[in-house]
Each structure stands twice: as C-alpha cells, then as structure tokens.
Amino acid sequence: SPFSLSFLSLWPIQEGTPEQIMLVSLTMSLKKKEGGRTEVIDNTLNPDFVRKFILDYFFEEKQNLRFDFRLEKPLGGIPGKKCGTIILSAEELGNCRDSATMQFCANKLDKKDFFGKSDPFMVFYRSNEDGTFTICHKTEVVKNTLNPVWQSFTIPVRALCNGDYDRTIKVEVYDWDRDGSHDFIGEFTTSYRELARGQSQFNVYEVSCLQTPQVTLLSFSVESEFTFLDYIKGGTQINFTVAIDFTASNGNPSQSTSLHYMNPYQMNAYAMALKAVGEIIQDYDSDKMFPALGFGAKLPPDGRVSHEFPLNGNIENPYCNGIEGILEAYHQSLKTVQLYGPTNFAPVVNHVARYAAAVQDGSQYFVLLIITDGVISDMSQTKEAIVNGAKLPMSIIIVGVGQAEFDAMVELDGDDIRISSRGKLAERDIVQFVPFRDYMDRTGNHVLSMARLAKDVLAEIPDQFISYMKSRGIKPNPAPPPYTPPGHTHHTQI
C-alpha cells in the first residue's frame, strides 16, 4: 500500500525567522531496515510529503512500521511532551502499470508579490475513497511571471488516480514565498479521462472566481511501465561476475582465525556470501558460466601483485561452470597464490565495465559481486570507475566480511548521497553494500544467514536494472510463445 504522510508540528517556532528555518523529512523503517525516505521540505510546521512508500501487505504477519522525523537544525523540544502528529493514509494499489507525461502552462495569474510578479507552482492531489485528498505531485517554481510554462513531468497513473480514470484530481496553484507561507492563487478539478483528451478546449481551466487566470494542458502522453520480468521474459540475460579479496589482512588461510580458512565442516564467510548471492542470480543466466576474479594477491611463478586475476588460472577463459565451479576455483587459488595487498576495487570494476560497454542494447545486464574484508585503498579510482559504470548496464554488490570498519563502503553505496568523481555525479545508483556480520544468525543457522543476505543485497537489482533500461529508452522484446512439445497439439474445450 502507498502511504501518504503529513506532519503537524506543535513546536512554538516563528516561521520565517532566518535563525530557525527548518528542513524536515520523514523516514519509514520496516523490520529495523529503512524502507523509504521522503523528500525534504523547508521552513514549514505542516509538511505534506509527496513521496509515497509502497509496501507488500501480508494479512498473516504483524508488520511493525517505525517513522523517524528529522530536522536539519535541532530544536529544543520538551522531553515527554507531544510535539506533533503524523497522519498516515493507505490504499491498496491497482494493477495499472501506465505512466502519464504531461505539461501545463498558465496565463494572467494573479499578482501576489508586492515587489515583482508571482512565483507560481502547482500541487496535484488524488482523491481517496473516503473523499479526502492526498498530494501526489508538485511542480517546480517558475520565478517572477504571471504566465508560467512548467516543465513536463511523468507520474504513474496509479499515483495519480490508482487506475480509476474518473476519480477526481484536484490541482491548486500557489505563489511561492521563501518563508513557507505560500499564497493561494486558485484551483481546479479534472480527471485522468479528461486529461487523456490532450490539448483541447476541454483542458483549459479557470483557476479563480475572477475567471480570468487560466491553466492549459499543453501535452499529454501515456506509456506502459515495464517490469524486470518483462525484460527477462523477453530474453535479457543477467551476467554474474564475482571478485574475491585475497589481501593479507584476511589472515593466513591455513589458520582457523583466517577469513579464508577452509573448515572441512562448514563454509567460510567468503564461500557463504558467494553461494547465497550466486545461487539466486545464476538462474537468470542460461549458460551458467561465470567469470571469477581475485585481487590483492601475489601470483606464481614470479610473485607479481595482481588486482584482476582469474581464479581458475586461465587468463584467456576465466569462466567457471556454475557456482560450484567458482567455489572450486576459489579453493584452488588459496593453495597457489600468496595473500598480499593493497585492497583495490577499480581494476575489477573496470573489467566488468569493459564487457558491459560492448553490449548496451538491453540484451545483457552485468552484476559484479565483490567480497572483501577491509578498507579500500584506491577510493578515488574506484569512485571514478563507479561513476563511469553508472552509464552502463551493470550493478555492483559489495559484501563486507569480518569485523573491519566499512565506512568507505557506505559512501560507495550512494543511498544517501549520490557518488561523484571529479565533479561528475553518477548517473544512477548502482552499488549496494552490506556487512555480512549483520546477517549472521545467532543460533549458527548458516542457511538462514545466507537467505537473509541474498534477499537484501539482491533487492535493489531490479530497480537498478529498470533505471538503466528506462534511461536508454530500451523496451523488452516480446516474450516467446509457450513451448509446445513435438507432436502435441492444443485442444480447445467448448
């Protein structure tokens, strides 16, 4: 269900005072894991958040939700005293997968500013089943004009009307003020069915009782949103590559304290992470042949240090047969290479990026799993490699094993702040980092630990995949017809 959130603050604050301007946001957590974060709204006691949270509802489960309200500037509240109310609304989502793109302009809006004209923006509300309204979109502010032309925007149809084409859509027009007390200009109502008529006499709206100001729909188009499975059914292959840390900080593999220690009775953390992620992702690759690389070791016979060597020892063909083949090559490498250092990620990231750069038509997508124990040594080079890789059909999963501090990995993850290099921002977020220790089952159940790990690290892959396909305008191929065994014919029952 999508949650529409608004917050009523009861703190005694003077709005508009420069020393007390607030930036507020709300974070939702499910099972102690952050499930979504709203946009930040500045300088208001009553924020109405546009961003929605989508959850899977299970009747048979108790799904505790936690909401954290954050301020950019700490304010002196009174402990134990009620400081405000969070208002939630929930509605079951329809199955509509269309997205609408539209653009509006206005003319002869009311002049609200004493100096200059108005700074207009529009706010769109979807009507709920109980007759209330929920904010679903807010346009940008167009400064100092009574005749604004707003940028086109795209919104899921289910966010706009939940697939009900006749449901009322309310649109309010405001003049933006720095102190948050935006001046109301006017409003109008419409519906998806009306908007779908496109630019016409039906989509010119009066927005005040003076019946002079008008808002006009300039363009309207709709297209279906494709899912991850649409591309998989259309033949897109997921190519899986693993890169394993062979630096000396892992400890001597022959000693039981080493992260690479081969216990005959149970897998080490490297093997568990590899098996957990690989056994799920291998089903999206038809040939089950996976490149497996190592980094940070001295190689025989001359002892040169490599940050991009094949685990099977074959430079020309680093592919291993299935996950079991990768595990076997990993075990053999531990017997032949010398753990060394430093911990460099950029070579293996660039290795996968070279393959991804060669296939950008949507037929293949590349996932790199890096398993490491320590602090990264080539941060600037890795950030540059990730920024470049964000343009390509690839994602990176980093699993940290052991007890080291992984602060640098969190920076690479880019969930809070998009990663950048040399002033260039990554086109999209392609990195997911998790420390394996957070998933270790207290009872020692390694199967459960691996299942938890795989669920979390792979959860972002479909969205990252879709973000690449959408950014390149790539649509899935039609799914092939169902397989019919030779000599078998379908019989239609009447």
Side-chain angles (χ1 to χ4, degrees):
S1 301
F3 287 85
S4 172
L5 309 177
S6 60
F7 181 86
L8 174 62
S9 172
L10 302 180
W11 274 305
I13 302 169
Q14 281 186 291
E15 279 194 274
T17 305
E19 293 78 21
Q20 294 181 318
I21 287 180
M22 298 190 302
L23 296 176
V24 296
S25 66
L26 199 64
T27 303
M28 183 200 71
S29 302
L30 174 64
K31 296 180 179 178
K32 298 183 180 180
K33 178 176 174 60
E34 183 175 315
R37 186 174 298 192
T38 68
E39 74 280 11
V40 174
I41 300 179
D42 66 322
N43 199 31
T44 178
L45 301 179
N46 302 284
D48 200 355
F49 298 106
V50 175
R51 193 168 302 157
K52 307 297 182 291
F53 303 140
I54 298 178
L55 300 175
D56 291 322
Y57 164 74
F58 299 100
F59 167 75
E60 70 281 8
E61 287 186 16
K62 183 179 181 181
Q63 294 173 274
N64 292 322
L65 300 177
R66 169 176 167 167
F67 296 90
D68 292 301
F69 181 75
R70 300 182 182 182
L71 298 173
E72 184 76 10
K73 180 178 180 179
L75 298 168
I78 302 173
K81 184 177 179 180
K82 181 179 177 182
C83 292
T85 303
I86 297 175
I87 302 170
L88 303 177
S89 65
E91 183 176 17
E92 185 176 0
L93 284 176
N95 291 323
C96 179
R97 282 166 44 188
D98 292 343
S99 282
T101 300
M102 60 192 85
Q103 184 178 22
F104 290 86
C105 70
N107 55 58
K108 299 181 180 178
L109 292 180
D110 293 345
K111 181 179 180 295
K112 296 291 185 180
D113 293 340
F114 187 75
F115 298 105
K117 300 176 182 178
S118 291
D119 305 315
F121 67 95
M122 292 197 297
V123 182
F124 289 72
Y125 298 87
R126 158 182 102 221
S127 60
N128 302 317
E129 293 173 336
D130 60 359
T132 60
F133 286 89
T134 297
I135 188 171
C136 59
H137 181 74
K138 188 183 294 183
T139 70
E140 79 282 8
V141 175
V142 181
K143 291 293 189 74
N144 197 31
T145 180
L146 303 180
N147 303 291
V149 178
W150 289 283
Q151 296 175 11
S152 63
F153 64 91
T154 300
I155 183 171
V157 171
R158 66 183 187 181
L160 192 62
C161 64
N162 205 16
D164 180 354
Y165 293 175
D166 296 307
R167 185 180 292 202
T168 299
I169 298 168
K170 181 173 73 171
V171 184
E172 296 177 343
V173 185
Y174 289 91
D175 168 44
W176 176 85
D177 286 324
R178 184 179 299 277
D179 64 4
S181 59
H182 311 308
D183 299 316
F184 181 73
I185 293 177
E187 69 177 26
F188 63 91
T189 59
T190 183
S191 67
Y192 178 85
R193 195 177 299 279
E194 287 294 317
L195 293 172
R197 293 185 177 190
Q199 187 179 27
S200 68
Q201 63 189 39
F202 302 104
N203 281 311
V204 178
Y205 302 96
E206 310 290 347
V207 295
S208 80
C209 58
L210 300 176
Q211 297 202 349
T212 303
Q214 291 182 330
V215 172
T216 302
L217 176 67
L218 292 177
S219 63
F220 183 93
S221 62
V222 63
E223 63 178 29
S224 291
E225 289 281 313
F226 297 110
T227 68
F228 176 71
L229 286 181
D230 289 332
Y231 289 90
I232 298 302
K233 287 190 289 186
T236 298
Q237 296 282 304
I238 305 294
N239 295 300
F240 177 57
T241 301
V242 64
I244 294 178
D245 183 336
F246 281 82
T247 56
S249 55
N250 285 280
N252 188 335
S254 64
Q255 298 177 355
S256 60
T257 54
S258 171
L259 293 168
H260 281 307
Y261 179 64
M262 302 308 302
N263 187 322
Y265 302 106
Q266 69 178 45
M267 292 182 290
N268 63 31
Y270 279 92
M272 280 195 285
L274 168 58
K275 194 174 177 69
V277 177
E279 285 194 340
I280 290 178
I281 213 165
Q282 69 174 348
D283 291 330
Y284 297 91
D285 188 317
S286 57
D287 66 7
K288 305 289 189 292
M289 297 296 292
F290 308 113
L293 307 172
F295 58 92
K298 283 186 174 182
L299 307 185
D302 55 358
R304 66 181 179 86
V305 178
S306 175
H307 297 287
E308 184 189 349
F309 64 90
L311 295 189
N312 64 5
N314 189 339
I315 296 177
E316 300 298 323
N317 183 14
Y319 291 84
C320 299
N321 188 2
I323 302 306
E324 293 305 320
I326 297 178
L327 287 170
E328 183 180 345
Y330 162 57
H331 296 158
Q332 289 301 316
S333 289
L334 288 173
K335 299 174 184 177
T336 58
V337 304
Q338 178 188 344
L339 273 57
Y340 198 67
T343 306
N344 291 351
F345 285 2
V348 293
V349 173
N350 289 327
H351 175 98
V352 174
R354 286 194 295 271
Y355 286 90
V359 190
Q360 300 187 52
D361 60 358
S363 63
Q364 298 184 51
Y365 193 84
F366 296 79
V367 176
L368 169 63
L369 169 64
I370 300 175
I371 313 175
T372 182
D373 84 308
V375 178
I376 185 170
S377 304
D378 64 338
M379 180 57 111
S380 60
Q381 294 92 332
T382 297
K383 288 169 72 172
E384 183 174 7
I386 291 171
V387 169
N388 292 333
K391 305 172 188 174
L392 302 172
M394 65 180 288
S395 290
I396 301 168
I397 298 168
I398 304 173
V399 177
V401 297
Q403 300 304 314
E405 291 298 324
F406 294 112
D407 294 347
M409 306 303 176
V410 175
E411 181 182 350
L412 294 180
D413 193 307
D415 281 345
D416 295 331
I417 302 174
R418 184 68 59 84
I419 192 172
S420 63
S421 174
R422 300 185 182 183
K424 187 166 58 175
L425 208 61
E427 191 175 298
R428 56 196 184 94
D429 177 20
I430 64 169
V431 179
Q432 167 77 334
F433 166 74
V434 296
F436 194 17
R437 59 179 176 240
D438 290 357
Y439 299 87
M440 296 301 291
D441 183 64
R442 294 178 181 176
T443 64
N445 186 332
H446 295 309
V447 174
L448 190 57
S449 301
M450 292 161 63
R452 290 172 176 168
L453 174 72
K455 183 176 183 294
D456 267 14
V457 299
L458 293 173
E460 292 187 12
I461 297 295
D463 286 343
Q464 292 175 0
F465 175 101
I466 291 296
S467 72
Y468 173 79
M469 297 299 180
K470 286 181 68 174
S471 69
R472 298 299 182 269
I474 299 172
K475 297 182 179 180
N477 293 323
Y483 172 73
T484 304
H488 179 80
T489 56
H490 290 288
H491 298 281
T492 304
Q493 291 183 336
I494 300 177

